[in-house]
Amino acid sequence: MYRSHNCGELRISDAGSVVTISGWVQKSRDLGGLTFVDVRDRYGVTQLVFNIDENPELTTRARKLGREFVVQATGKVRERSSKNPNRATGDIEIDVDQLIVLNESKVPPFTIEDDTDGGDDLRMKFRYLDIRRTPVQNNLIFRSKLALETRKYLDGQGFVEIETPFLIKSTPEGARDFVVPSRLNQGQFYALPQSPQTFKQILMVAGMDKYFQIVKCFRDEDLRADRQPEFTQIDCEMSFVHIEDILNTFEGLVRHLFRHTLNMELGDFPRMSYDEALRLYGSDKPDLRFGMQFVELNETVKGKGFSVFDDAELVVGICAKGIAESYSNKDLKDLTEWLQRPQIGAKGLVYVKYQEDGSVKSTIGKFYTDEELLALGQKFGAEKGDVIFILSGELEKTRKQLNELRLEMGRRLGLMKPGEYAPLWVLDFPLLEWDEDSGRFHAMHHPFTSPKKADISRMMDGDHETMKSLRADAYDMVINGAEIGGGSIRIHDRALQSRNFDLLGFTKEEAEAQFGFLLGAFEYGAPPHGGLAFGFDRLCAVMNGQSSIRDFIAFPKNNQGRDMMIDAPSPIHDEQLKELCLQIKIDKM
Amino acid sequence: MYRSHNCGELRISDAGSVVTISGWVQKSRDLGGLTFVDVRDRYGVTQLVFNIDENPELTTRARKLGREFVVQATGKVRERSSKNPNRATGDIEIDVDQLIVLNESKVPPFTIEDDTDGGDDLRMKFRYLDIRRTPVQNNLIFRSKLALETRKYLDGQGFVEIETPFLIKSTPEGARDFVVPSRLNQGQFYALPQSPQTFKQILMVAGMDKYFQIVKCFRDEDLRADRQPEFTQIDCEMSFVHIEDILNTFEGLVRHLFRHTLNMELGDFPRMSYDEALRLYGSDKPDLRFGMQFVELNETVKGKGFSVFDDAELVVGICAKGIAESYSNKDLKDLTEWLQRPQIGAKGLVYVKYQEDGSVKSTIGKFYTDEELLALGQKFGAEKGDVIFILSGELEKTRKQLNELRLEMGRRLGLMKPGEYAPLWVLDFPLLEWDEDSGRFHAMHHPFTSPKKADISRMMDGDHETMKSLRADAYDMVINGAEIGGGSIRIHDRALQSRNFDLLGFTKEEAEAQFGFLLGAFEYGAPPHGGLAFGFDRLCAVMNGQSSIRDFIAFPKNNQGRDMMIDAPSPIHDEQLKELCLQIKIDKM
């Protein structure tokens, strides 16, 4: 027996018991005749004590223990003279009379503490040491708990977890597939699923009624920060449902998760149309922890001789409370330059300061009277001490820029409070997006999304312009400005699905080759159905108020798609290539 | 709202309520003025009734419903005049006054009944129709429940479910990897995991203490019946454990699963050494639902002038109870021929019949007296009416052949009772197997398995012959003759792991290239650890008394590794190949 107790569970009530613990040496200290060794495992830290006078041989051995040695210690629990109130086991220590070194350790390349001195690359290469740190362990434990609670809730709602295959078929639309050469079918390839979309729809046609799966998905994209080539979804689908059934079910899921992992009751899930979200926040995933809604000013500010506004498609502003005195001209200049960086690309920033003394100060004072500027302020509910920021230009760009500014002001003013969660549903997305570059429509959600019922007949026989106005039965769940899930009511009618493939530029042959099985399934009694998928990595991060999903993945890949610890990907043997009928041909550039 | 109730929940107490149900038309019957339509969903079947006199238009429409049409019906629940006691909803019917056809269906290519007329290929191509059948749905629902109960139990035991990566590194030892070309790292490949073995060990080094995962694994093998290229494991690992801790934990898991899915208390889990299992049953996965243990007869039968026995390495038999009268000479001849088929390859079959009249009849009567044959019978506890079957030859082959005969007699005599479960642990496997063909050792379990503590020093410095006698700290769980799980205590010492790689024929460079990260991790305080993995597909099948795992997989592949429904694998576009720097070169033969 390696242990009678773990390193986190001994209490003052255990005093007098003889116990055995095992774990890693966190640190040790020699104080006169006493040697203290902190031993750590997943559950906590327990202090061992050795007395040189009472047991010189044992204490000498204890003094030689290095950091991260694995030890097993047996001894009597006793009350500490100097207690540590910050540690659950801080009232006791173990007076050791048997010590076994189970394994030694080299000196780790970074400290195993909550705040480590290890850089990202080093932490990833020695991920087994990084994970020993409590914050990382806690993230993984949280993730496990979140998955279990997801399953408990969905099971309670009658969902069946069904594993869909990983070796499927490549569909070159959308993101790039990872492919897997088949040895038994020479020259052919499987693809790893970007999502189990078609399979979950097939399961609805198969009468499974309510399906879910917590499942790995794969996308071979050029990796941006915080994208992973493999990621995890909570993937769900239901039959015989309207939008309302789905929103209720998954609002329920998220409430359950917050309740059972964070012990927190979520407030309302407001609903907002896509158009409204863009109009009020310039984003389809607004952070509602704070207001600072957009106010559109075209009708107010145009025609006063300020050509920048007069020529703009959109003039729109936000009001930052209480910064009129604290934001100097220098601060405002810096903010303007921040907005002018290529990542955001604003031309300039107009501000109106409503100063504490009642005066108004603005970059556009030349064009507008103080009265006009005060009236402008009223549109925002601006008070003394507030500053209004105004951007103008093309509608889409300007909204995006002002969204960035709003979020930045939210950060600066401390309005994105950690521990506060503002969920919402965004609804009524456009069905199709016209892409000028490729001269074709793209599915805003995906090719299986149903138009709203009222739009079906317009979709079946409308003209090109009509297609741009179609609305989808699609929805996103957003929390604190992050899209954590999204889905739609699906098409379940072969003719409508075929029409959608036509609009998306598939030839009949392509549609048949790639999705023939689904179109076929629709001819054998497909029920009305819909569903959604949550980004599980993202959900973990958002619930913990963190921005990086990487901290919630045990073995993430870096931005080049490499696993630094195992050093993958890597070359394979010629024999393997030959069996797969493959040759490598790298074009020199 | 598509439904107020599902098709399985209405009862006599609902009579008088107005309800709406949705589902598939199972069948319809016209009886005089009444039309009855059975509507089915995952939850059950409910009878709709239409009256031509009361509602001719509606009834006419109902009469046109085809099998598998998707319908929504609203009406009043009423007590049936002719009840169906075999159906949970059999006391009621719905007197429909509103009928909506949600989708039509072509005539399905096979019947959607418990026993279908569809062949395997057709069922797989139209898997969405096959899954509509209740037995298949029940299998998938069972699987989901089994997974959830696995998670509940392991969570309760302090295990953390941690997702390990799917895009890992190819290790050409053992079974063949599926590989995934990397676009961002030209000419390099990921591999899909054959199991998360090294990652779960890394998680132990990382201090996660108790890990599990229900996870897909991949092996590119030539597919035999009932092998799948992707399959699912319950994968587990624990730190600071001896064998006993692991056996207790996972015996507990399996007890929990039987209790919570089959409502059944499992009996004892006997333990048997590998040697004992081979000696008594000729197999390392004996079916203990029945006895029929092997009795070795070398000392009893040799030296009596019967050269077949005298020359044999092993003479061994089993006793079949009560078939002396019912098994004719013809039956025994057929059985002998069955044993002589190339799949089994026995040379012949010796039998001794203990007839009801006290006489003995045997193929070896010429060589042994009746007294000798009676004495032989006593070794088996044979009584009047029993027959002893004896095989002889090389030890390993003969044991395998007698194992086949024992199982066949078990089947014929009805000793493998459905609903009866006999679990056991098989322990003390050899560590290494000598392979004559390749002239090297193979790991019997895998290269990370620890020898038994008592064998470590012999392993570090013993000679070639010594290696053959090393025993591993490995264990298999067997139920009803199927290996449902297996594992081992792992090596956690770098020197011992290196020695094992040496013995298995790895060069230092190969070991470093493939497993350097693990060897490195062992230098930073690796704890003692061990674990096991259950074959989840197999466990589902065994618990349901079925032999094929395919029936418990939603979308299985066929023996050529193809998904018949989506028609994968398939060729990919030249552009995809080019991006991956790959060319296909199929050698014409």
Side-chain angles (χ1 to χ4, degrees):
Chain A
M1 186 195 62
Y2 284 107
R3 59 186 175 195
S4 62
H5 294 76
N6 65 45
C7 295
E9 63 181 321
L10 290 169
R11 297 290 182 275
I12 191 74
S13 56
D14 297 301
S17 316
V18 174
V19 300
T20 300
I21 64 168
S22 288
W24 287 263
V25 172
Q26 178 75 23
K27 65 176 180 184
S28 61
R29 286 156 296 151
D30 291 324
L31 296 179
L34 297 178
T35 294
F36 297 97
V37 177
D38 280 352
V39 179
R40 183 198 69 237
D41 66 11
R42 197 184 102 198
Y43 312 95
V45 176
T46 296
Q47 177 169 293
L48 308 180
V49 62
F50 301 84
N51 187 320
I52 191 83
D53 298 329
E54 290 173 10
N55 201 331
E57 181 271 336
L58 193 67
T59 307
T60 307
R61 286 206 291 126
R63 285 183 177 177
K64 288 185 186 142
L65 294 174
R67 279 201 289 142
E68 302 306 318
F69 275 41
V70 186
V71 296
Q72 175 185 336
T74 301
K76 194 176 274 187
V77 180
R78 70 181 188 203
E79 184 169 5
R80 276 207 221 178
S81 52
S82 148
K83 299 195 172 52
N84 179 348
N86 299 321
R87 189 182 281 176
T89 63
D91 287 351
I92 57 92
E93 61 195 4
I94 299 175
D95 182 15
V96 177
D97 49 39
Q98 201 189 342
L99 176 72
I100 300 170
V101 174
L102 297 171
N103 217 339
E104 301 194 349
S105 174
K106 296 206 281 194
V107 175
F110 51 83
T111 55
I112 315 291
E113 304 277 357
D114 288 6
D115 287 314
T116 182
D117 54 359
D120 237 30
D121 281 0
L122 208 56
R123 286 176 49 208
M124 287 305 141
K125 184 167 160 53
F126 294 91
R127 185 65 166 166
Y128 44 87
L129 299 178
D130 194 34
I131 294 178
R132 280 191 200 156
R133 300 189 307 115
T134 306
V136 185
Q137 293 202 341
N138 284 348
N139 284 354
L140 297 180
I141 293 168
F142 178 87
R143 183 183 178 108
S144 178
K145 190 164 170 54
L146 195 68
L148 185 62
E149 288 300 334
T150 300
R151 291 182 160 106
K152 283 185 182 170
Y153 173 85
L154 291 173
D155 175 69
Q157 299 284 320
F159 284 78
V160 181
E161 185 163 23
I162 301 175
E163 294 171 55
T164 51
F166 279 81
L167 297 173
I168 64 166
K169 187 170 176 165
S170 186
T171 53
E173 308 310 312
R176 231 182 252 105
D177 286 322
F178 281 105
V179 296
V180 182
S182 165
R183 183 178 53 87
L184 294 176
N185 302 271
Q186 297 193 337
Q188 300 189 17
F189 291 75
Y190 302 100
L192 299 179
Q194 296 185 28
S195 91
Q197 182 62 35
T198 50
F199 285 95
K200 68 177 175 176
Q201 292 192 243
I202 286 286
L203 286 169
M204 294 303 100
V205 180
M208 289 309 300
D209 205 68
K210 291 178 178 178
Y211 145 94
F212 85 103
Q213 190 181 189
I214 301 183
V215 62
K216 272 282 174 75
C217 301
F218 303 87
R219 271 179 217 173
D220 183 13
E221 292 177 292
D222 294 321
L223 299 169
R224 287 183 262 153
D226 222 32
R227 281 267 180 98
Q228 288 284 318
E230 47 178 307
F231 56 97
T232 304
Q233 277 186 194
I234 307 172
D235 192 51
C236 308
E237 198 79 4
M238 306 167 76
S239 290
F240 301 115
V241 288
H242 296 290
I243 270 198
E244 198 63 33
D245 303 300
I246 293 184
L247 301 191
N248 287 336
T249 300
F250 296 102
E251 204 170 301
L253 168 62
V254 172
R255 282 185 192 287
H256 176 95
L257 295 179
F258 273 80
R259 191 176 298 137
H260 291 276
T261 61
L262 299 180
N263 196 23
M264 178 178 289
E265 292 298 324
L266 280 186
D268 282 343
F269 282 62
R271 296 176 186 188
M272 197 178 287
S273 74
Y274 174 83
D275 287 345
E276 195 183 359
L278 287 185
R279 191 167 46 78
L280 292 179
Y281 301 96
S283 165
D284 60 1
K285 44 184 181 183
D287 188 332
L288 294 196
R289 278 177 295 179
F290 62 104
M292 225 187 266
Q293 285 186 353
F294 290 12
V295 176
E296 299 195 346
L297 300 170
N298 283 15
E299 293 177 12
T300 314
V301 299
K302 288 198 174 195
K304 304 287 163 111
F306 182 42
S307 67
V308 171
F309 283 178
D310 287 349
D311 297 346
E313 187 182 358
L314 177 68
V315 183
V316 59
I318 55 173
C319 174
K321 306 292 294 179
I323 63 167
E325 305 301 317
S326 58
Y327 262 57
S328 67
N329 284 346
K330 167 88 170 49
D331 292 333
L332 291 166
K333 187 160 165 279
D334 289 349
L335 195 62
T336 307
E337 282 167 7
W338 181 86
L339 277 169
Q340 287 171 330
R341 290 174 313 143
Q343 297 95 309
I344 300 184
K347 292 207 184 93
L349 173 65
V350 167
Y351 66 84
V352 187
K353 261 189 179 181
Y354 299 93
Q355 304 192 106
E356 293 293 353
D357 62 7
S359 67
V360 180
K361 195 174 158 195
S362 173
T363 37
I364 51 171
K366 271 190 280 185
F367 300 97
Y368 300 89
T369 65
D370 277 7
E371 287 66 37
E372 283 171 330
L373 293 176
L374 284 167
L376 191 72
Q378 282 172 3
K379 295 212 160 266
F380 292 85
E383 298 166 307
K384 283 177 189 171
D386 296 350
V387 176
I388 286 174
F389 295 112
I390 302 173
L391 295 178
S392 60
E394 289 168 38
L395 182 135
E396 269 190 43
K397 277 189 193 169
T398 306
R399 281 178 170 173
K400 273 188 192 161
Q401 292 158 3
L402 192 60
N403 169 50
E404 295 292 342
L405 180 60
R406 174 180 176 270
L407 293 175
E408 177 64 15
M409 293 313 298
R411 272 186 289 271
R412 292 188 183 195
L413 300 179
L415 302 176
M416 294 160 157
K417 297 207 182 88
E420 202 171 278
Y421 298 91
L424 83 152
W425 288 107
V426 180
L427 306 171
D428 301 342
F429 285 82
L431 182 70
L432 301 165
E433 276 183 309
W434 179 252
D435 184 54
E436 285 295 346
D437 294 344
S438 60
R440 52 191 274 192
F441 282 110
H442 287 289
M444 182 106 178
H445 185 51
H446 60 47
F448 313 104
T449 298
S450 177
K452 286 185 132 358
K453 206 166 182 182
D455 284 356
I456 290 180
S457 64
R458 291 201 301 139
M459 176 168 169
M460 288 306 281
D461 50 26
D463 62 11
H464 184 84
E465 281 308 306
T466 304
M467 296 308 125
K468 294 184 183 172
S469 70
L470 299 174
R471 295 288 131 172
D473 254 350
Y475 30 82
D476 276 358
M477 190 190 284
V478 175
I479 297 181
N480 294 359
E483 180 206 323
I484 60 157
S488 61
I489 298 294
R490 325 299 183 185
I491 297 170
H492 65 279
D493 176 76
R494 176 166 183 140
L496 190 59
Q497 185 66 63
S498 290
R499 168 70 174 158
N500 206 23
F501 283 141
D502 289 348
L503 288 170
L504 296 171
F506 287 76
T507 65
K508 292 281 173 223
E509 293 68 30
E510 284 167 350
E512 190 58 37
Q514 288 172 38
F515 302 111
F517 65 99
L518 187 67
L519 291 168
F522 284 176
E523 296 184 320
Y524 286 96
H529 62 286
L532 92 180
F534 289 97
F536 188 63
D537 311 287
R538 175 72 51 207
L539 182 62
C540 287
V542 167
M543 288 182 74
N544 285 278
Q546 295 189 24
S547 58
S548 169
I549 62 170
R550 213 178 276 191
D551 295 331
F552 291 85
I553 297 173
F555 302 101
K557 306 245 182 326
N558 73 7
N559 280 351
Q560 284 74 49
R562 296 199 69 83
D563 183 317
M564 300 289 282
M565 183 183 74
I566 63 172
D567 192 27
S570 61
I572 58 174
H573 286 212
D574 288 345
E575 268 175 41
Q576 286 175 285
L577 285 172
K578 205 173 163 193
E579 279 193 324
L580 298 170
C581 303
L582 290 180
Q583 291 184 329
I584 294 173
K585 182 161 176 287
I586 297 176
D587 289 328
K588 303 282 186 311
M589 288 198 288
Chain B
M1 187 194 59
Y2 283 108
R3 60 188 175 195
S4 61
H5 294 75
N6 65 45
C7 296
E9 63 181 322
L10 290 169
R11 297 289 182 276
I12 190 74
S13 56
D14 297 301
S17 316
V18 174
V19 301
T20 301
I21 64 169
S22 288
W24 286 264
V25 172
Q26 178 75 23
K27 63 175 181 186
S28 62
R29 286 156 297 151
D30 291 323
L31 295 179
L34 296 179
T35 295
F36 298 98
V37 177
D38 281 351
V39 178
R40 182 197 71 236
D41 65 13
R42 198 184 102 198
Y43 311 95
V45 176
T46 296
Q47 177 169 294
L48 308 180
V49 61
F50 301 84
N51 188 323
I52 191 84
D53 297 329
E54 290 173 9
N55 201 331
E57 182 272 337
L58 194 67
T59 307
T60 307
R61 285 206 292 125
R63 285 182 177 177
K64 288 183 187 146
L65 293 174
R67 279 203 288 143
E68 302 306 319
F69 275 41
V70 187
V71 296
Q72 176 186 336
T74 301
K76 194 176 275 190
V77 180
R78 71 180 187 203
E79 185 169 4
R80 276 207 221 178
S81 53
S82 148
K83 298 194 171 54
N84 180 348
N86 300 320
R87 189 181 280 175
T89 63
D91 287 351
I92 58 93
E93 62 195 4
I94 299 175
D95 182 16
V96 178
D97 49 40
Q98 201 189 342
L99 175 72
I100 300 171
V101 174
L102 296 172
N103 217 339
E104 301 194 349
S105 174
K106 297 206 282 193
V107 176
F110 49 84
T111 54
I112 315 290
E113 303 278 356
D114 289 5
D115 288 313
T116 181
D117 53 0
D120 237 30
D121 283 0
L122 208 56
R123 286 177 48 208
M124 288 305 141
K125 184 166 160 53
F126 294 90
R127 185 64 166 167
Y128 44 87
L129 298 178
D130 194 33
I131 294 178
R132 280 190 201 158
R133 300 189 306 114
T134 305
V136 184
Q137 293 202 341
N138 284 347
N139 284 353
L140 297 180
I141 292 168
F142 178 87
R143 183 182 178 108
S144 177
K145 189 164 172 52
L146 196 68
L148 184 63
E149 287 300 334
T150 300
R151 291 183 160 105
K152 282 185 184 171
Y153 173 84
L154 290 173
D155 175 67
Q157 299 285 318
F159 284 78
V160 182
E161 184 163 24
I162 301 174
E163 294 171 55
T164 51
F166 280 81
L167 297 173
I168 64 166
K169 187 170 176 164
S170 185
T171 54
E173 308 309 311
R176 231 183 254 104
D177 285 322
F178 282 105
V179 297
V180 181
S182 165
R183 182 178 54 87
L184 294 176
N185 302 269
Q186 296 192 337
Q188 300 189 15
F189 292 75
Y190 302 99
L192 300 178
Q194 296 185 29
S195 90
Q197 182 61 35
T198 50
F199 284 95
K200 69 177 174 175
Q201 293 193 241
I202 286 287
L203 286 169
M204 294 303 100
V205 180
M208 290 308 300
D209 205 70
K210 291 177 178 178
Y211 144 94
F212 85 102
Q213 190 181 189
I214 301 184
V215 61
K216 273 280 175 76
C217 300
F218 304 87
R219 273 178 216 174
D220 183 13
E221 293 176 292
D222 295 321
L223 299 168
R224 288 183 261 152
D226 220 30
R227 280 265 181 99
Q228 288 283 320
E230 48 179 307
F231 55 97
T232 304
Q233 278 186 193
I234 306 172
D235 192 51
C236 307
E237 198 79 4
M238 307 167 76
S239 290
F240 301 115
V241 288
H242 296 291
I243 270 199
E244 199 62 34
D245 303 301
I246 293 184
L247 301 192
N248 287 337
T249 301
F250 295 102
E251 205 171 301
L253 168 62
V254 172
R255 282 184 193 286
H256 175 96
L257 295 180
F258 273 80
R259 192 175 297 136
H260 291 275
T261 61
L262 299 179
N263 196 24
M264 179 178 289
E265 292 298 324
L266 279 186
D268 282 342
F269 281 63
R271 297 176 185 188
M272 198 178 288
S273 74
Y274 173 82
D275 287 346
E276 195 183 359
L278 288 185
R279 191 168 46 78
L280 293 179
Y281 300 98
S283 164
D284 60 1
K285 43 183 182 183
D287 188 332
L288 295 196
R289 277 177 295 180
F290 62 104
M292 224 185 266
Q293 285 186 352
F294 290 13
V295 175
E296 299 195 346
L297 301 170
N298 284 14
E299 294 177 12
T300 315
V301 299
K302 288 198 174 194
K304 305 287 164 112
F306 182 42
S307 66
V308 172
F309 283 177
D310 287 349
D311 298 346
E313 188 182 359
L314 177 68
V315 183
V316 60
I318 53 173
C319 175
K321 306 292 293 177
I323 64 166
E325 306 300 318
S326 57
Y327 262 58
S328 67
N329 284 347
K330 167 88 170 47
D331 292 331
L332 292 166
K333 187 161 164 280
D334 288 349
L335 195 61
T336 307
E337 283 168 5
W338 182 87
L339 277 168
Q340 287 172 330
R341 290 174 313 144
Q343 297 95 310
I344 301 184
K347 293 208 184 89
L349 173 65
V350 166
Y351 67 83
V352 186
K353 261 190 179 179
Y354 299 93
Q355 305 192 104
E356 293 292 353
D357 63 7
S359 67
V360 181
K361 196 176 157 192
S362 172
T363 38
I364 52 171
K366 270 189 281 183
F367 301 96
Y368 300 89
T369 64
D370 277 9
E371 287 66 38
E372 283 171 331
L373 293 176
L374 284 168
L376 191 73
Q378 282 173 4
K379 296 209 161 270
F380 293 85
E383 299 167 306
K384 283 176 188 169
D386 297 350
V387 175
I388 286 174
F389 295 112
I390 303 173
L391 296 177
S392 60
E394 289 167 39
L395 183 136
E396 270 189 43
K397 278 190 192 168
T398 307
R399 282 179 169 171
K400 273 188 192 160
Q401 291 158 3
L402 192 60
N403 168 51
E404 295 291 344
L405 179 60
R406 175 179 176 270
L407 293 176
E408 178 64 15
M409 293 313 297
R411 272 187 288 271
R412 291 189 182 193
L413 301 178
L415 302 175
M416 294 161 155
K417 298 205 182 89
E420 202 171 279
Y421 299 91
L424 84 153
W425 288 108
V426 179
L427 306 171
D428 302 343
F429 285 82
L431 183 70
L432 301 165
E433 275 183 310
W434 179 252
D435 184 54
E436 285 296 344
D437 294 343
S438 59
R440 51 190 275 192
F441 283 110
H442 287 289
M444 182 105 177
H445 185 52
H446 58 48
F448 313 104
T449 298
S450 178
K452 285 184 127 7
K453 206 167 184 183
D455 284 356
I456 291 181
S457 64
R458 292 201 300 139
M459 177 169 169
M460 288 306 281
D461 50 25
D463 62 11
H464 184 83
E465 281 308 304
T466 305
M467 295 309 123
K468 295 183 183 173
S469 71
L470 299 175
R471 294 288 132 173
D473 255 350
Y475 30 82
D476 277 356
M477 190 189 285
V478 175
I479 297 182
N480 294 0
E483 180 205 323
I484 60 156
S488 61
I489 298 294
R490 325 299 183 184
I491 296 170
H492 65 278
D493 175 77
R494 176 166 183 140
L496 189 60
Q497 186 65 64
S498 290
R499 169 69 175 159
N500 206 24
F501 284 142
D502 289 348
L503 288 170
L504 296 171
F506 287 76
T507 65
K508 291 283 174 221
E509 292 68 31
E510 284 167 351
E512 190 58 38
Q514 288 173 38
F515 301 111
F517 66 98
L518 188 66
L519 292 169
F522 283 176
E523 297 184 320
Y524 286 97
H529 62 286
L532 91 180
F534 289 97
F536 188 64
D537 311 288
R538 174 72 52 207
L539 182 61
C540 287
V542 168
M543 288 182 74
N544 286 279
Q546 296 189 24
S547 58
S548 168
I549 62 171
R550 213 177 277 192
D551 295 331
F552 291 85
I553 297 173
F555 301 101
K557 306 249 182 321
N558 73 6
N559 280 350
Q560 284 74 50
R562 296 199 69 83
D563 183 317
M564 301 289 282
M565 183 183 75
I566 64 172
D567 192 26
S570 61
I572 58 174
H573 285 212
D574 288 344
E575 268 176 41
Q576 287 175 285
L577 285 171
K578 205 173 165 195
E579 279 192 324
L580 299 170
C581 302
L582 290 180
Q583 291 184 327
I584 294 173
K585 181 161 176 287
I586 297 175
D587 290 327
K588 301 282 186 313
M589 289 199 288

